[in-house]
Amino acid sequence: MDTLVSFGQLFLGGFQTPTLGFLLGGMFMAAMGSRLSIPDQVYKFIVFVLLMKIGLRGGMEIRNANLAELLLPAFFAVLIGIIIVYGGKVALSKLPGIRPVDAIATAGLFGAVSASTFAAAMLHLDDIGMEYEAWVSALYPFMDITALVLAIVLARLVTQKEDKANDKEAPKHKRKDINIQAIVVDSLRGSALSALILGLLLGLLTKPEPVYESFYNPVFRGFLSILMVIMGIEAWQRLSELRRVAHWYAVYAVIAPLMHGAIAFGFGAIAHHLTGFSPGGVVLLAILAASSSDISGPPTLRAGIPTANPSAFIGSSTSIGTPICIAIGIPLFTELAKVVF
Amino acid sequence: MDTLVSFGQLFLGGFQTPTLGFLLGGMFMAAMGSRLSIPDQVYKFIVFVLLMKIGLRGGMEIRNANLAELLLPAFFAVLIGIIIVYGGKVALSKLPGIRPVDAIATAGLFGAVSASTFAAAMLHLDDIGMEYEAWVSALYPFMDITALVLAIVLARLVTQKEDKANDKEAPKHKRKDINIQAIVVDSLRGSALSALILGLLLGLLTKPEPVYESFYNPVFRGFLSILMVIMGIEAWQRLSELRRVAHWYAVYAVIAPLMHGAIAFGFGAIAHHLTGFSPGGVVLLAILAASSSDISGPPTLRAGIPTANPSAFIGSSTSIGTPICIAIGIPLFTELAKVVF
Amino acid sequence: MDTLVSFGQLFLGGFQTPTLGFLLGGMFMAAMGSRLSIPDQVYKFIVFVLLMKIGLRGGMEIRNANLAELLLPAFFAVLIGIIIVYGGKVALSKLPGIRPVDAIATAGLFGAVSASTFAAAMLHLDDIGMEYEAWVSALYPFMDITALVLAIVLARLVTQKEDKANDKEAPKHKRKDINIQAIVVDSLRGSALSALILGLLLGLLTKPEPVYESFYNPVFRGFLSILMVIMGIEAWQRLSELRRVAHWYAVYAVIAPLMHGAIAFGFGAIAHHLTGFSPGGVVLLAILAASSSDISGPPTLRAGIPTANPSAFIGSSTSIGTPICIAIGIPLFTELAKVVF
């Protein structure tokens, strides 16, 4: 009961945290029809700086870390990515009005990871003083790439089956082989993962402390606040697209972040008991799972699953999944970690 | 006499203040034919951050303010907006070579408010330690929207009268009703006012102190300095446009900022005696009136008064009005407040 | 021997300095086929801020400097610019497969100065605590403009000679007079030199200390790190262009930065003995000479020598010259100064 009250207070207080406030503020301005917008090149720059900051810090701290500890959570991150995409495909495909490729693309996007949501969760843990392992940001690609690759592979299998069914005498050259390695490499080359990896490498191999302390760390909070405004505006604008597709996408987008987070929280708890994975690390693993990709995921899936309807998968992720994850997921799993561990 | 000397010193010293120096520096580089330019997307980002900073601070401080005090200055702000636009229309229309719609658009732009000039004035008061009310930034929309709406309404009335005179049998559907509410709402949705309102709301409803202290406040001075360079370059470039229109625009642009500031200073002094409006607040009210809109006003008036000549109203405001307001208006009214109160 | 060891350590340590690390990191990401990129408008903004920072600091410190000391190094800067361009033209023209105009454009670009390399050198000296004169940044235009103007003039002379040879009855009006003053003025108006000059003027004539301390100085290191990533990406991308031209360009690009730096180091040493030019100043003069222009030089030479092949001169400078100068030149000449003086 005390826990419920304390979570209720935290949840209400959550609307006062700047991160969530800026997200809701952006949504509110867009809802009021404001012409407020942040230029696209500035958005890309802000994302680059945030990911470099996360990467640099991870890289600097990994130097003294025992990387054997990373193995189990990294394996779990891959497993969670597979569960989310495969489970999402099966669940969504059964719903009326949802085509298999759209089900797969949506599940893929919810399995992939949002750098901005992850940054918001890290800032939240820093603010309340809950510690986490230095290498947690290195878990990002394990879950992100697994989800994107699995979604693209599943979608190609589905498309090939349909092609066969539709046209039994289809020319053989149309049946392309699925090159998993190419999809993995292409994901790693995306701008978001590249910035994170660059930051990790520089943090690990150079001594970027002066530039980290004088620039990347001080601007982190401000840049994240602006990113939240952009995401809020985008979330509202995408809502109109979502109205044009089956309502089941919205239902999925409300439930999925919390369910995915809960699954990951469970795996995190196992790692906590087996290898001493920190409570903060468990929260961040849960948020990795609860978040859905907003930067590199959408273009990757558009290119990789060209027959899927972007209004469905991007709309449900951006306008419902991400706000739910930030507004409810972050305080929920943080509070859960306080109670459970 | 001492006052004169002290103002003289202040005025000369003013050219050494970075804010004015960067404005003049930008003008100088443009005058020398330099290809120096700040990319447009960066300009928009800088304006967004400055307005968020002003809004956030206002919002955070309004929490503890007695908002009843705001009523009289807000009413005065509306009144000043009306006086500037109506007075400007009457005065400019009498001059040779100035069409009524151009007179109205010019008066409207000088009645509307410049966020960058306002930011420069706030920084100046902060630097010399003159205090002002937390809610002064909330006066901005009262004067700004009043001036823009009144100008658009007056211009439509003039155009309708001309239409009637030109074509007595004009089809009735051409005589559009003037929808004042739509113009107000449209003004509030502009990017500049939206950013200010978003900042105010976030400052009021969330707890943005950490992000304000770590980002918005530290970058304020630097971003303002870059904005001043941009405005200086723009001021010089617009001068050539101004040469193509009647010289009376230039005369108006020199006199108007100081006269408008003096009128507002008078109203501010009344509020000072009636409700204890602070001297710093009086100075900022005077600068709101003395400034002319540079971000959201020009596009609003272009769209709202399509028959007016942008070279006339934007040229006179950007290339003469704004530099005069920053170079003379800010030190003049600050010094006046020191002497009078 | 100790010196050799110490340089070896410094060189290896150099790869750990953030500046070089970020450059190599950018090259590495590009080599891996990453789609990482920094938007062009952000790049221009970053360059503007870096040059303003260098200019402001120079201007502020020049106020108390004895400018007579500047005369000899400034004369040497002009002389070095001439030697680099004339020497480079003669040497490159003798190599097989290199056209005279391409030889001149390449020598011109290597004679002109890189603001970003210069910034990296200044940061390096600041970090190790080696002092230098306040006015060293004012040497920049002396070498930069000399090199660009001389290259354009030499190229025109060559082109005129060829025209004459090809067509003895060529119409007289084709033989344009070479307007050196116009080329100098045009160079000064370029965006890079304009930003530097604006900063110098503002530092000299206004009191920009508050904005320098609150913005330009704190973001310097961070912005430079991002610029290095951009330059690294660009360096790798240009390599493919370089492969299409004569290999001698690559050989020149490896040798030239170190040879030019050594020549300038020699002149700096003379100034050190004659007028007490500081060791840090000698290093910076060497880096001015060792660097090749990356911001304003390429467009100036494209416009001024339209018959030259940009793949040759920009490719060799960006993809080999600049990395060599930053990775080897900066630590080499710094260490040399420690030993010699």
Side-chain angles (χ1 to χ4, degrees), chain A residues 15-57:
Chain A
F15 285 99
Q16 287 201 293
T17 61
T19 310
L20 180 56
F22 281 75
L23 179 80
L24 296 174
M27 291 180 79
F28 175 75
M29 297 314 285
M32 295 291 105
S34 162
R35 289 188 294 278
L36 185 71
S37 73
I38 313 290
D40 191 53
Q41 297 203 354
V42 172
Y43 163 72
K44 284 180 182 150
F45 173 58
I46 285 178
V47 167
F48 171 77
V49 171
L50 291 184
L51 283 163
M52 283 289 284
K53 188 265 175 195
I54 294 175
L56 284 170
R57 181 170 162 201

Side-chain angles (χ1 to χ4, degrees), chain A residues 61-123:
Chain A
E61 295 188 11
I62 285 175
R63 281 187 226 145
N64 311 315
N66 173 8
L67 283 188
E69 291 175 9
L70 187 149
L71 290 176
L72 190 64
F75 171 68
F76 282 166
V78 171
L79 206 61
I80 294 164
I82 293 172
I83 292 172
I84 292 176
V85 176
Y86 203 79
K89 169 197 184 285
V90 170
L92 278 164
S93 297
K94 285 184 182 154
L95 297 172
I98 295 186
R99 293 187 310 146
V101 283
D102 290 335
I104 293 167
T106 307
L109 204 61
F110 276 80
V113 174
S114 160
S116 35
T117 307
F118 187 55
M122 278 186 147
L123 186 60

Side-chain angles (χ1 to χ4, degrees), chain A residues 26-297:
Chain A
M27 291 180 79
F28 175 75
M29 297 314 285
M32 295 291 105
S34 162
R35 289 188 294 278
L36 185 71
S37 73
I38 313 290
D40 191 53
Q41 297 203 354
V42 172
Y43 163 72
K44 284 180 182 150
F45 173 58
I46 285 178
V47 167
F48 171 77
V49 171
L50 291 184
L51 283 163
M52 283 289 284
K53 188 265 175 195
I54 294 175
L56 284 170
R57 181 170 162 201
M60 290 188 295
E61 295 188 11
I62 285 175
R63 281 187 226 145
N64 311 315
N66 173 8
L67 283 188
E69 291 175 9
L70 187 149
L71 290 176
L72 190 64
F75 171 68
F76 282 166
V78 171
L79 206 61
I80 294 164
I82 293 172
I83 292 172
I84 292 176
V85 176
Y86 203 79
K89 169 197 184 285
V90 170
L92 278 164
S93 297
K94 285 184 182 154
L95 297 172
I98 295 186
R99 293 187 310 146
V101 283
D102 290 335
I104 293 167
T106 307
L109 204 61
F110 276 80
V113 174
S114 160
S116 35
T117 307
F118 187 55
M122 278 186 147
L123 186 60
H124 180 63
L125 295 188
D126 288 346
D127 280 349
I128 65 168
M130 186 183 278
E131 297 197 353
Y132 49 88
E133 278 78 5
W135 40 260
V136 170
S137 57
L139 297 179
Y140 182 127
F142 288 95
M143 196 185 296
D144 193 60
I145 292 177
T146 302
L148 293 173
V149 169
L150 182 57
I152 294 171
V153 170
L154 285 176
R156 293 206 182 158
L157 291 175
V158 164
T159 318
Q160 281 181 8
K161 219 180 281 173
E162 282 172 356
D163 281 1
K164 257 192 219 161
N166 291 340
D167 189 337
K168 291 223 167 178
E169 286 131 286
K172 290 254 162 83
H173 69 268
K174 257 191 130 182
R175 219 184 298 160
K176 294 180 223 153
D177 284 332
I178 298 165
N179 186 342
I180 292 183
Q181 200 200 334
I183 306 175
V184 172
V185 169
D186 191 68
S187 294
L188 285 168
R189 283 174 177 165
S191 58
L193 267 179
S194 288
L196 185 70
I197 292 168
L198 176 60
L200 278 167
L201 287 177
L202 290 171
L204 198 59
L205 302 176
T206 72
K207 287 172 186 158
E209 280 82 358
V211 73
Y212 178 82
E213 293 302 337
S214 74
F215 181 72
Y216 292 94
N217 199 32
V219 302
F220 183 59
R221 210 182 273 271
F223 275 21
L224 184 63
S225 77
I226 296 169
L227 190 58
M228 288 292 136
V229 172
I230 298 172
M231 290 170 68
I233 294 171
E234 175 107 358
W236 189 265
Q237 289 171 343
R238 291 271 176 195
L239 259 188
S240 59
E241 288 184 28
L242 197 57
R243 284 195 202 103
R244 280 186 258 128
V245 298
H247 294 318
W248 288 110
Y249 286 108
V251 175
Y252 175 78
V254 169
I255 298 171
L258 305 180
M259 205 167 65
H260 299 163
I263 293 168
F265 195 93
F267 278 108
I270 295 173
H272 174 71
H273 289 296
L274 291 181
T275 66
F277 192 37
S278 72
V282 176
V283 173
L284 289 175
L285 185 68
I287 296 302
L288 282 175
S291 75
S292 47
S293 177
D294 47 4
I295 297 163
S296 53

Side-chain angles (χ1 to χ4, degrees), chain C residues 95-112:
Chain C
L95 297 172
I98 293 187
R99 295 187 307 147
V101 283
D102 289 335
I104 294 167
T106 306
L109 203 61
F110 276 81

